[in-house]
Amino acid sequence: MKILIVGGGGREHALAWKCAEPPYVDKVFCAPGNAGTAREDKVINVAISPEDLERLASFAEEENIALTIVGPEAPLVSGIVNAFNARGLKCFGPTKEASVLEGSKVFTKDFLHRHGIPTGKYKSFSDISGALNYIKDCEFPLVIKADGLASGKGVFITSDLVEAEGVVRTILSGNKFGEAGSQIVIEEFLDGEEVSYICMTDGYHCVPFASSQDHKARDDGDSGPNTGGMGAYSPAPLLDSDLEHRVLEEIIYPTLSGLREEGKLYKGFLYAGLMINSKKQPKVLEFNCRFGDPEAQPTLFRLKTDLVDACLKTLEGDIGELQLEFDSKTALGVVLAANGYPESYQTGWSVKVAEKASGLKDLKIFHAGTAVSGDAVVSTGGRVLCVVGRGDNVREAQKVSYKGVDLVESSNLFYRTDIGYRAIARLKSP
Ligand code: AMP
Ligand code: GLY
């Protein structure tokens, strides 16, 4: 059987590695993949852009691909699943219509409101003067978001009126975000701790992945600018069974039924970004129509179930009995990013990993922005590697990960030194 993974980041390396495991899988193609996928057993990189939907579909037809799994949001929002389905090809992810849940923050806030699903208070605007008038009476901090896809750069937490006015003008003037900035959501600031709730769904049932939490801020102590994610761990002790029950009953199932009522059957990975307040009430911050990155790296490192089989069953609607099984150990991933990330950064730096790393069973180094250059590996993106360690608890997993980080040699990378600190603080023994 042949599989195709669309994308070339750390999440896609984890997906490709996991899909290559079953003995009945002969080849996993990764479009375009990275230096990590290039070196993985059975995995072959293909130089096709994740945005080139028709070329990807033609490749899948020619190679007789049994299952395509889409990593990033952009091709999903552009309709890759529709393009594949039109040719009778199996593609794991929501359709263009259902991916609007990530593609438009205005749609999602209105949808949550229509279906009584808990989220922060908000108002949306397309005109600068209406927005400026509204924020005059708002409390700060105040959150302002561009409507469309902005690679994690379209959310601003503003602390006073002057800053908020600047953000409103920047987004709605259309210069910085283009069409994605034609509307904005202005939203109350929610206090609490974030958790990523990720599941597989056929549009009716929900099969949860193990819980996970990521660290979105660039610097230690969750400070500094927002990034795509500087590290993540699984499980997240914050999500106990009571809270999970609430998340399913108040958020996930009403979302799936609301989407069905609106003619948008949702199949694929569904990622709810949740804020949990001090009373343990969950509220939706956002939905993503894909797996999280870097949540995928530690979560899939723990997954024992055959992911290819689980995706095929989900697409066939045969999900009722499906359960995902996870290693009881904790996994924790530390992202190594290029100096300057998430703002401007340089690429083309050599990245070396000591050979010893591949022999350690509790360590896995997933690549993200890397490419093979002759015999060497060079950086090609902002997030370059995600070093995942596994241990009996989060403290042990953290130790393994940071020892793994020491096996990486590159002069232009930085990383946070405190990934998992909230979960470590929750451990009972010192
Ligand atoms: P989003 O892409 O909407 O999840 O926003 C990116 C990040 O901004 C989230 O992961 C939060 O850390 C933060 N954020 C977004 N909305 C809010 C909010 N209403 N209150 C507090 N933080 C928020
Ligand atoms: N880790 C955040 C995301 O995947 O959007």
Side-chain angles (χ1 to χ4, degrees), residues 173-210:
S173 65
N175 300 332
K176 194 161 172 201
F177 294 95
E179 184 53 30
S182 63
Q183 294 187 83
I184 54 171
V185 168
I186 301 181
E187 187 179 309
E188 71 171 315
F189 179 81
L190 298 174
D191 246 330
E193 196 173 331
E194 286 182 62
V195 66
S196 310
Y197 194 82
I198 302 171
C199 64
M200 300 176 78
T201 177
D202 59 357
Y204 294 85
H205 306 90
C206 163
V207 178
F209 277 88

PDB file of all heavy atoms in Angstrom, residues 173-210:
ATOM      1  N   SER A 173      -6.597  47.862   6.718  1.00  0.00           N
ATOM      2  CA  SER A 173      -6.125  48.615   5.548  1.00  0.00           C
ATOM      3  C   SER A 173      -5.800  47.657   4.403  1.00  0.00           C
ATOM      4  O   SER A 173      -5.689  48.074   3.249  1.00  0.00           O
ATOM      5  CB  SER A 173      -4.874  49.420   5.910  1.00  0.00           C
ATOM      6  OG  SER A 173      -3.844  48.505   6.227  1.00  0.00           O
ATOM      7  N   GLY A 174      -5.647  46.349   4.742  1.00  0.00           N
ATOM      8  CA  GLY A 174      -5.458  45.349   3.684  1.00  0.00           C
ATOM      9  C   GLY A 174      -4.030  45.223   3.192  1.00  0.00           C
ATOM     10  O   GLY A 174      -3.735  44.392   2.342  1.00  0.00           O
ATOM     11  N   ASN A 175      -3.105  46.014   3.739  1.00  0.00           N
ATOM     12  CA  ASN A 175      -1.740  45.960   3.205  1.00  0.00           C
ATOM     13  C   ASN A 175      -0.967  44.756   3.721  1.00  0.00           C
ATOM     14  O   ASN A 175      -0.236  44.121   2.992  1.00  0.00           O
ATOM     15  CB  ASN A 175      -0.973  47.237   3.571  1.00  0.00           C
ATOM     16  CG  ASN A 175      -1.662  48.457   2.995  1.00  0.00           C
ATOM     17  OD1 ASN A 175      -2.327  48.346   1.968  1.00  0.00           O
ATOM     18  ND2 ASN A 175      -1.549  49.591   3.666  1.00  0.00           N
ATOM     19  N   LYS A 176      -1.156  44.458   5.016  1.00  0.00           N
ATOM     20  CA  LYS A 176      -0.311  43.422   5.618  1.00  0.00           C
ATOM     21  C   LYS A 176      -0.877  42.009   5.436  1.00  0.00           C
ATOM     22  O   LYS A 176      -0.137  41.054   5.246  1.00  0.00           O
ATOM     23  CB  LYS A 176      -0.139  43.731   7.107  1.00  0.00           C
ATOM     24  CG  LYS A 176       0.956  42.935   7.729  1.00  0.00           C
ATOM     25  CD  LYS A 176       1.460  43.510   9.022  1.00  0.00           C
ATOM     26  CE  LYS A 176       2.415  42.530   9.678  1.00  0.00           C
ATOM     27  NZ  LYS A 176       2.559  42.759  11.092  1.00  0.00           N
ATOM     28  N   PHE A 177      -2.205  41.880   5.508  1.00  0.00           N
ATOM     29  CA  PHE A 177      -2.797  40.535   5.486  1.00  0.00           C
ATOM     30  C   PHE A 177      -3.598  40.251   4.220  1.00  0.00           C
ATOM     31  O   PHE A 177      -4.148  39.159   4.077  1.00  0.00           O
ATOM     32  CB  PHE A 177      -3.685  40.339   6.718  1.00  0.00           C
ATOM     33  CG  PHE A 177      -2.917  40.336   7.999  1.00  0.00           C
ATOM     34  CD1 PHE A 177      -2.774  41.487   8.754  1.00  0.00           C
ATOM     35  CD2 PHE A 177      -2.299  39.178   8.432  1.00  0.00           C
ATOM     36  CE1 PHE A 177      -2.033  41.485   9.923  1.00  0.00           C
ATOM     37  CE2 PHE A 177      -1.557  39.160   9.599  1.00  0.00           C
ATOM     38  CZ  PHE A 177      -1.419  40.322  10.352  1.00  0.00           C
ATOM     39  N   GLY A 178      -3.691  41.217   3.325  1.00  0.00           N
ATOM     40  CA  GLY A 178      -4.448  41.014   2.087  1.00  0.00           C
ATOM     41  C   GLY A 178      -5.893  40.641   2.399  1.00  0.00           C
ATOM     42  O   GLY A 178      -6.487  41.152   3.348  1.00  0.00           O
ATOM     43  N   GLU A 179      -6.420  39.696   1.614  1.00  0.00           N
ATOM     44  CA  GLU A 179      -7.821  39.278   1.749  1.00  0.00           C
ATOM     45  C   GLU A 179      -8.111  38.741   3.170  1.00  0.00           C
ATOM     46  O   GLU A 179      -9.207  38.940   3.702  1.00  0.00           O
ATOM     47  CB  GLU A 179      -8.087  38.202   0.680  1.00  0.00           C
ATOM     48  CG  GLU A 179      -9.499  37.675   0.571  1.00  0.00           C
ATOM     49  CD  GLU A 179     -10.557  38.774   0.397  1.00  0.00           C
ATOM     50  OE1 GLU A 179     -10.232  39.831  -0.185  1.00  0.00           O
ATOM     51  OE2 GLU A 179     -11.697  38.570   0.878  1.00  0.00           O
ATOM     52  N   ALA A 180      -7.115  38.088   3.799  1.00  0.00           N
ATOM     53  CA  ALA A 180      -7.310  37.535   5.151  1.00  0.00           C
ATOM     54  C   ALA A 180      -7.629  38.632   6.157  1.00  0.00           C
ATOM     55  O   ALA A 180      -8.173  38.375   7.232  1.00  0.00           O
ATOM     56  CB  ALA A 180      -6.057  36.775   5.588  1.00  0.00           C
ATOM     57  N   GLY A 181      -7.292  39.885   5.802  1.00  0.00           N
ATOM     58  CA  GLY A 181      -7.534  40.997   6.722  1.00  0.00           C
ATOM     59  C   GLY A 181      -8.716  41.864   6.312  1.00  0.00           C
ATOM     60  O   GLY A 181      -8.849  43.000   6.777  1.00  0.00           O
ATOM     61  N   SER A 182      -9.593  41.334   5.466  1.00  0.00           N
ATOM     62  CA  SER A 182     -10.737  42.156   5.038  1.00  0.00           C
ATOM     63  C   SER A 182     -11.790  42.264   6.149  1.00  0.00           C
ATOM     64  O   SER A 182     -12.651  43.136   6.107  1.00  0.00           O
ATOM     65  CB  SER A 182     -11.354  41.606   3.750  1.00  0.00           C
ATOM     66  OG  SER A 182     -11.854  40.320   4.004  1.00  0.00           O
ATOM     67  N   GLN A 183     -11.712  41.362   7.119  1.00  0.00           N
ATOM     68  CA  GLN A 183     -12.582  41.462   8.300  1.00  0.00           C
ATOM     69  C   GLN A 183     -11.729  41.193   9.544  1.00  0.00           C
ATOM     70  O   GLN A 183     -10.697  40.514   9.451  1.00  0.00           O
ATOM     71  CB  GLN A 183     -13.690  40.413   8.251  1.00  0.00           C
ATOM     72  CG  GLN A 183     -14.686  40.599   7.137  1.00  0.00           C
ATOM     73  CD  GLN A 183     -15.830  39.602   7.306  1.00  0.00           C
ATOM     74  OE1 GLN A 183     -16.777  39.824   8.056  1.00  0.00           O
ATOM     75  NE2 GLN A 183     -15.723  38.477   6.635  1.00  0.00           N
ATOM     76  N   ILE A 184     -12.202  41.691  10.679  1.00  0.00           N
ATOM     77  CA  ILE A 184     -11.524  41.358  11.939  1.00  0.00           C
ATOM     78  C   ILE A 184     -12.539  40.902  12.975  1.00  0.00           C
ATOM     79  O   ILE A 184     -13.720  41.249  12.892  1.00  0.00           O
ATOM     80  CB  ILE A 184     -10.733  42.554  12.541  1.00  0.00           C
ATOM     81  CG1 ILE A 184     -11.632  43.793  12.712  1.00  0.00           C
ATOM     82  CG2 ILE A 184      -9.504  42.863  11.748  1.00  0.00           C
ATOM     83  CD1 ILE A 184     -10.967  44.921  13.488  1.00  0.00           C
ATOM     84  N   VAL A 185     -12.027  40.137  13.928  1.00  0.00           N
ATOM     85  CA  VAL A 185     -12.812  39.795  15.113  1.00  0.00           C
ATOM     86  C   VAL A 185     -12.175  40.540  16.281  1.00  0.00           C
ATOM     87  O   VAL A 185     -10.953  40.500  16.451  1.00  0.00           O
ATOM     88  CB  VAL A 185     -12.776  38.273  15.377  1.00  0.00           C
ATOM     89  CG1 VAL A 185     -13.327  37.953  16.759  1.00  0.00           C
ATOM     90  CG2 VAL A 185     -13.539  37.515  14.312  1.00  0.00           C
ATOM     91  N   ILE A 186     -12.995  41.236  17.066  1.00  0.00           N
ATOM     92  CA  ILE A 186     -12.497  41.871  18.289  1.00  0.00           C
ATOM     93  C   ILE A 186     -13.115  41.080  19.442  1.00  0.00           C
ATOM     94  O   ILE A 186     -14.340  40.938  19.516  1.00  0.00           O
ATOM     95  CB  ILE A 186     -12.911  43.352  18.350  1.00  0.00           C
ATOM     96  CG1 ILE A 186     -12.339  44.080  17.121  1.00  0.00           C
ATOM     97  CG2 ILE A 186     -12.432  43.994  19.647  1.00  0.00           C
ATOM     98  CD1 ILE A 186     -12.646  45.557  17.057  1.00  0.00           C
ATOM     99  N   GLU A 187     -12.236  40.568  20.291  1.00  0.00           N
ATOM    100  CA  GLU A 187     -12.702  39.556  21.242  1.00  0.00           C
ATOM    101  C   GLU A 187     -12.212  39.863  22.651  1.00  0.00           C
ATOM    102  O   GLU A 187     -11.100  40.370  22.822  1.00  0.00           O
ATOM    103  CB  GLU A 187     -12.109  38.222  20.757  1.00  0.00           C
ATOM    104  CG  GLU A 187     -12.576  37.004  21.460  1.00  0.00           C
ATOM    105  CD  GLU A 187     -11.912  35.755  20.858  1.00  0.00           C
ATOM    106  OE1 GLU A 187     -11.943  35.576  19.622  1.00  0.00           O
ATOM    107  OE2 GLU A 187     -11.345  34.984  21.623  1.00  0.00           O
ATOM    108  N   GLU A 188     -13.034  39.528  23.640  1.00  0.00           N
ATOM    109  CA  GLU A 188     -12.606  39.734  25.029  1.00  0.00           C
ATOM    110  C   GLU A 188     -11.396  38.839  25.324  1.00  0.00           C
ATOM    111  O   GLU A 188     -11.274  37.737  24.782  1.00  0.00           O
ATOM    112  CB  GLU A 188     -13.742  39.422  26.005  1.00  0.00           C
ATOM    113  CG  GLU A 188     -14.072  37.960  26.117  1.00  0.00           C
ATOM    114  CD  GLU A 188     -15.046  37.638  27.251  1.00  0.00           C
ATOM    115  OE1 GLU A 188     -14.893  38.150  28.372  1.00  0.00           O
ATOM    116  OE2 GLU A 188     -15.963  36.833  27.005  1.00  0.00           O
ATOM    117  N   PHE A 189     -10.524  39.301  26.201  1.00  0.00           N
ATOM    118  CA  PHE A 189      -9.360  38.526  26.609  1.00  0.00           C
ATOM    119  C   PHE A 189      -9.816  37.479  27.616  1.00  0.00           C
ATOM    120  O   PHE A 189     -10.507  37.797  28.589  1.00  0.00           O
ATOM    121  CB  PHE A 189      -8.321  39.457  27.237  1.00  0.00           C
ATOM    122  CG  PHE A 189      -7.103  38.736  27.716  1.00  0.00           C
ATOM    123  CD1 PHE A 189      -6.093  38.385  26.825  1.00  0.00           C
ATOM    124  CD2 PHE A 189      -6.955  38.406  29.061  1.00  0.00           C
ATOM    125  CE1 PHE A 189      -4.964  37.705  27.271  1.00  0.00           C
ATOM    126  CE2 PHE A 189      -5.833  37.723  29.509  1.00  0.00           C
ATOM    127  CZ  PHE A 189      -4.830  37.375  28.606  1.00  0.00           C
ATOM    128  N   LEU A 190      -9.453  36.217  27.373  1.00  0.00           N
ATOM    129  CA  LEU A 190      -9.829  35.145  28.297  1.00  0.00           C
ATOM    130  C   LEU A 190      -8.615  34.744  29.120  1.00  0.00           C
ATOM    131  O   LEU A 190      -7.543  34.484  28.566  1.00  0.00           O
ATOM    132  CB  LEU A 190     -10.340  33.930  27.515  1.00  0.00           C
ATOM    133  CG  LEU A 190     -11.596  34.146  26.675  1.00  0.00           C
ATOM    134  CD1 LEU A 190     -11.897  32.899  25.842  1.00  0.00           C
ATOM    135  CD2 LEU A 190     -12.800  34.460  27.562  1.00  0.00           C
ATOM    136  N   ASP A 191      -8.819  34.687  30.417  1.00  0.00           N
ATOM    137  CA  ASP A 191      -7.746  34.285  31.325  1.00  0.00           C
ATOM    138  C   ASP A 191      -7.768  32.785  31.513  1.00  0.00           C
ATOM    139  O   ASP A 191      -8.836  32.182  31.465  1.00  0.00           O
ATOM    140  CB  ASP A 191      -8.006  34.924  32.698  1.00  0.00           C
ATOM    141  CG  ASP A 191      -6.929  35.924  33.022  1.00  0.00           C
ATOM    142  OD1 ASP A 191      -5.797  35.721  32.552  1.00  0.00           O
ATOM    143  OD2 ASP A 191      -7.236  36.898  33.735  1.00  0.00           O
ATOM    144  N   GLY A 192      -6.626  32.176  31.776  1.00  0.00           N
ATOM    145  CA  GLY A 192      -6.620  30.750  32.088  1.00  0.00           C
ATOM    146  C   GLY A 192      -5.441  30.061  31.464  1.00  0.00           C
ATOM    147  O   GLY A 192      -4.429  30.684  31.153  1.00  0.00           O
ATOM    148  N   GLU A 193      -5.601  28.741  31.275  1.00  0.00           N
ATOM    149  CA  GLU A 193      -4.526  27.928  30.704  1.00  0.00           C
ATOM    150  C   GLU A 193      -5.064  27.253  29.439  1.00  0.00           C
ATOM    151  O   GLU A 193      -6.198  26.777  29.433  1.00  0.00           O
ATOM    152  CB  GLU A 193      -4.123  26.888  31.752  1.00  0.00           C
ATOM    153  CG  GLU A 193      -2.807  26.249  31.450  1.00  0.00           C
ATOM    154  CD  GLU A 193      -2.328  25.339  32.586  1.00  0.00           C
ATOM    155  OE1 GLU A 193      -2.657  25.571  33.769  1.00  0.00           O
ATOM    156  OE2 GLU A 193      -1.622  24.366  32.251  1.00  0.00           O
ATOM    157  N   GLU A 194      -4.232  27.207  28.419  1.00  0.00           N
ATOM    158  CA  GLU A 194      -4.702  26.643  27.142  1.00  0.00           C
ATOM    159  C   GLU A 194      -4.444  25.156  27.055  1.00  0.00           C
ATOM    160  O   GLU A 194      -3.445  24.655  27.564  1.00  0.00           O
ATOM    161  CB  GLU A 194      -3.954  27.302  25.986  1.00  0.00           C
ATOM    162  CG  GLU A 194      -4.399  28.699  25.707  1.00  0.00           C
ATOM    163  CD  GLU A 194      -3.658  29.282  24.517  1.00  0.00           C
ATOM    164  OE1 GLU A 194      -3.788  28.738  23.397  1.00  0.00           O
ATOM    165  OE2 GLU A 194      -2.936  30.254  24.729  1.00  0.00           O
ATOM    166  N   VAL A 195      -5.345  24.460  26.373  1.00  0.00           N
ATOM    167  CA  VAL A 195      -5.106  23.050  26.094  1.00  0.00           C
ATOM    168  C   VAL A 195      -5.541  22.775  24.655  1.00  0.00           C
ATOM    169  O   VAL A 195      -6.436  23.442  24.125  1.00  0.00           O
ATOM    170  CB  VAL A 195      -5.825  22.163  27.149  1.00  0.00           C
ATOM    171  CG1 VAL A 195      -7.301  22.265  27.082  1.00  0.00           C
ATOM    172  CG2 VAL A 195      -5.397  20.733  27.081  1.00  0.00           C
ATOM    173  N   SER A 196      -4.860  21.841  24.017  1.00  0.00           N
ATOM    174  CA  SER A 196      -5.198  21.479  22.639  1.00  0.00           C
ATOM    175  C   SER A 196      -5.999  20.186  22.685  1.00  0.00           C
ATOM    176  O   SER A 196      -5.481  19.169  23.153  1.00  0.00           O
ATOM    177  CB  SER A 196      -3.931  21.231  21.816  1.00  0.00           C
ATOM    178  OG  SER A 196      -3.030  22.308  21.969  1.00  0.00           O
ATOM    179  N   TYR A 197      -7.229  20.228  22.202  1.00  0.00           N
ATOM    180  CA  TYR A 197      -8.040  19.009  22.174  1.00  0.00           C
ATOM    181  C   TYR A 197      -8.140  18.555  20.728  1.00  0.00           C
ATOM    182  O   TYR A 197      -8.744  19.231  19.895  1.00  0.00           O
ATOM    183  CB  TYR A 197      -9.431  19.254  22.772  1.00  0.00           C
ATOM    184  CG  TYR A 197     -10.121  17.947  23.045  1.00  0.00           C
ATOM    185  CD1 TYR A 197      -9.842  17.231  24.201  1.00  0.00           C
ATOM    186  CD2 TYR A 197     -10.992  17.390  22.122  1.00  0.00           C
ATOM    187  CE1 TYR A 197     -10.437  16.001  24.442  1.00  0.00           C
ATOM    188  CE2 TYR A 197     -11.588  16.162  22.348  1.00  0.00           C
ATOM    189  CZ  TYR A 197     -11.300  15.479  23.515  1.00  0.00           C
ATOM    190  OH  TYR A 197     -11.867  14.253  23.749  1.00  0.00           O
ATOM    191  N   ILE A 198      -7.526  17.407  20.436  1.00  0.00           N
ATOM    192  CA  ILE A 198      -7.442  16.949  19.044  1.00  0.00           C
ATOM    193  C   ILE A 198      -8.104  15.576  18.924  1.00  0.00           C
ATOM    194  O   ILE A 198      -7.873  14.695  19.755  1.00  0.00           O
ATOM    195  CB  ILE A 198      -5.968  16.880  18.589  1.00  0.00           C
ATOM    196  CG1 ILE A 198      -5.314  18.269  18.742  1.00  0.00           C
ATOM    197  CG2 ILE A 198      -5.857  16.407  17.132  1.00  0.00           C
ATOM    198  CD1 ILE A 198      -3.816  18.310  18.537  1.00  0.00           C
ATOM    199  N   CYS A 199      -8.963  15.440  17.907  1.00  0.00           N
ATOM    200  CA  CYS A 199      -9.625  14.150  17.717  1.00  0.00           C
ATOM    201  C   CYS A 199      -9.692  13.824  16.229  1.00  0.00           C
ATOM    202  O   CYS A 199      -9.380  14.662  15.382  1.00  0.00           O
ATOM    203  CB  CYS A 199     -11.025  14.184  18.326  1.00  0.00           C
ATOM    204  SG  CYS A 199     -12.138  15.352  17.550  1.00  0.00           S
ATOM    205  N   MET A 200     -10.116  12.583  15.951  1.00  0.00           N
ATOM    206  CA  MET A 200     -10.461  12.187  14.579  1.00  0.00           C
ATOM    207  C   MET A 200     -11.968  12.102  14.552  1.00  0.00           C
ATOM    208  O   MET A 200     -12.579  11.650  15.517  1.00  0.00           O
ATOM    209  CB  MET A 200      -9.917  10.798  14.251  1.00  0.00           C
ATOM    210  CG  MET A 200      -8.438  10.708  14.355  1.00  0.00           C
ATOM    211  SD  MET A 200      -7.858   9.027  14.059  1.00  0.00           S
ATOM    212  CE  MET A 200      -7.954   8.943  12.287  1.00  0.00           C
ATOM    213  N   THR A 201     -12.566  12.509  13.456  1.00  0.00           N
ATOM    214  CA  THR A 201     -14.022  12.420  13.396  1.00  0.00           C
ATOM    215  C   THR A 201     -14.492  12.073  11.988  1.00  0.00           C
ATOM    216  O   THR A 201     -13.859  12.459  10.994  1.00  0.00           O
ATOM    217  CB  THR A 201     -14.677  13.731  13.872  1.00  0.00           C
ATOM    218  OG1 THR A 201     -16.101  13.605  13.720  1.00  0.00           O
ATOM    219  CG2 THR A 201     -14.198  14.945  13.099  1.00  0.00           C
ATOM    220  N   ASP A 202     -15.617  11.357  11.933  1.00  0.00           N
ATOM    221  CA  ASP A 202     -16.283  11.081  10.656  1.00  0.00           C
ATOM    222  C   ASP A 202     -17.469  12.034  10.481  1.00  0.00           C
ATOM    223  O   ASP A 202     -18.312  11.831   9.623  1.00  0.00           O
ATOM    224  CB  ASP A 202     -16.753   9.624  10.593  1.00  0.00           C
ATOM    225  CG  ASP A 202     -17.727   9.282  11.709  1.00  0.00           C
ATOM    226  OD1 ASP A 202     -17.994  10.156  12.567  1.00  0.00           O
ATOM    227  OD2 ASP A 202     -18.237   8.144  11.734  1.00  0.00           O
ATOM    228  N   GLY A 203     -17.535  13.032  11.332  1.00  0.00           N
ATOM    229  CA  GLY A 203     -18.626  14.003  11.255  1.00  0.00           C
ATOM    230  C   GLY A 203     -19.726  13.718  12.268  1.00  0.00           C
ATOM    231  O   GLY A 203     -20.559  14.581  12.546  1.00  0.00           O
ATOM    232  N   TYR A 204     -19.697  12.483  12.828  1.00  0.00           N
ATOM    233  CA  TYR A 204     -20.704  12.091  13.814  1.00  0.00           C
ATOM    234  C   TYR A 204     -20.044  11.711  15.135  1.00  0.00           C
ATOM    235  O   TYR A 204     -20.461  12.136  16.199  1.00  0.00           O
ATOM    236  CB  TYR A 204     -21.512  10.884  13.309  1.00  0.00           C
ATOM    237  CG  TYR A 204     -22.352  11.195  12.091  1.00  0.00           C
ATOM    238  CD1 TYR A 204     -21.804  11.130  10.812  1.00  0.00           C
ATOM    239  CD2 TYR A 204     -23.693  11.558  12.225  1.00  0.00           C
ATOM    240  CE1 TYR A 204     -22.562  11.422   9.692  1.00  0.00           C
ATOM    241  CE2 TYR A 204     -24.463  11.851  11.102  1.00  0.00           C
ATOM    242  CZ  TYR A 204     -23.893  11.777   9.847  1.00  0.00           C
ATOM    243  OH  TYR A 204     -24.648  12.073   8.740  1.00  0.00           O
ATOM    244  N   HIS A 205     -19.032  10.838  15.039  1.00  0.00           N
ATOM    245  CA  HIS A 205     -18.342  10.343  16.233  1.00  0.00           C
ATOM    246  C   HIS A 205     -17.041  11.098  16.435  1.00  0.00           C
ATOM    247  O   HIS A 205     -16.488  11.646  15.486  1.00  0.00           O
ATOM    248  CB  HIS A 205     -18.009   8.855  16.090  1.00  0.00           C
ATOM    249  CG  HIS A 205     -19.181   8.009  15.760  1.00  0.00           C
ATOM    250  ND1 HIS A 205     -19.551   7.741  14.469  1.00  0.00           N
ATOM    251  CD2 HIS A 205     -20.070   7.392  16.551  1.00  0.00           C
ATOM    252  CE1 HIS A 205     -20.621   6.985  14.477  1.00  0.00           C
ATOM    253  NE2 HIS A 205     -20.974   6.749  15.727  1.00  0.00           N
ATOM    254  N   CYS A 206     -16.563  11.029  17.675  1.00  0.00           N
ATOM    255  CA  CYS A 206     -15.282  11.669  17.972  1.00  0.00           C
ATOM    256  C   CYS A 206     -14.367  10.627  18.594  1.00  0.00           C
ATOM    257  O   CYS A 206     -14.728   9.983  19.579  1.00  0.00           O
ATOM    258  CB  CYS A 206     -15.538  12.816  18.950  1.00  0.00           C
ATOM    259  SG  CYS A 206     -14.069  13.378  19.789  1.00  0.00           S
ATOM    260  N   VAL A 207     -13.213  10.415  18.002  1.00  0.00           N
ATOM    261  CA  VAL A 207     -12.200   9.515  18.578  1.00  0.00           C
ATOM    262  C   VAL A 207     -11.033  10.386  19.031  1.00  0.00           C
ATOM    263  O   VAL A 207     -10.278  10.912  18.201  1.00  0.00           O
ATOM    264  CB  VAL A 207     -11.743   8.473  17.537  1.00  0.00           C
ATOM    265  CG1 VAL A 207     -10.660   7.586  18.121  1.00  0.00           C
ATOM    266  CG2 VAL A 207     -12.918   7.634  17.082  1.00  0.00           C
ATOM    267  N   PRO A 208     -10.905  10.587  20.345  1.00  0.00           N
ATOM    268  CA  PRO A 208      -9.911  11.545  20.830  1.00  0.00           C
ATOM    269  C   PRO A 208      -8.480  11.026  20.760  1.00  0.00           C
ATOM    270  O   PRO A 208      -8.235   9.837  20.983  1.00  0.00           O
ATOM    271  CB  PRO A 208     -10.288  11.758  22.296  1.00  0.00           C
ATOM    272  CG  PRO A 208     -11.513  10.980  22.557  1.00  0.00           C
ATOM    273  CD  PRO A 208     -11.719  10.028  21.427  1.00  0.00           C
ATOM    274  N   PHE A 209      -7.570  11.919  20.465  1.00  0.00           N
ATOM    275  CA  PHE A 209      -6.151  11.646  20.677  1.00  0.00           C
ATOM    276  C   PHE A 209      -5.853  11.927  22.143  1.00  0.00           C
ATOM    277  O   PHE A 209      -6.644  12.581  22.839  1.00  0.00           O
ATOM    278  CB  PHE A 209      -5.295  12.567  19.799  1.00  0.00           C
ATOM    279  CG  PHE A 209      -5.162  12.044  18.407  1.00  0.00           C
ATOM    280  CD1 PHE A 209      -6.088  12.366  17.441  1.00  0.00           C
ATOM    281  CD2 PHE A 209      -4.117  11.194  18.087  1.00  0.00           C
ATOM    282  CE1 PHE A 209      -5.978  11.857  16.165  1.00  0.00           C
ATOM    283  CE2 PHE A 209      -4.008  10.683  16.800  1.00  0.00           C
ATOM    284  CZ  PHE A 209      -4.934  11.010  15.837  1.00  0.00           C
ATOM    285  N   ALA A 210      -4.708  11.444  22.614  1.00  0.00           N
ATOM    286  CA  ALA A 210      -4.280  11.791  23.972  1.00  0.00           C
ATOM    287  C   ALA A 210      -4.188  13.319  24.054  1.00  0.00           C
ATOM    288  O   ALA A 210      -3.895  13.981  23.055  1.00  0.00           O
ATOM    289  CB  ALA A 210      -2.917  11.168  24.230  1.00  0.00           C
TER     290      ALA A 210
END
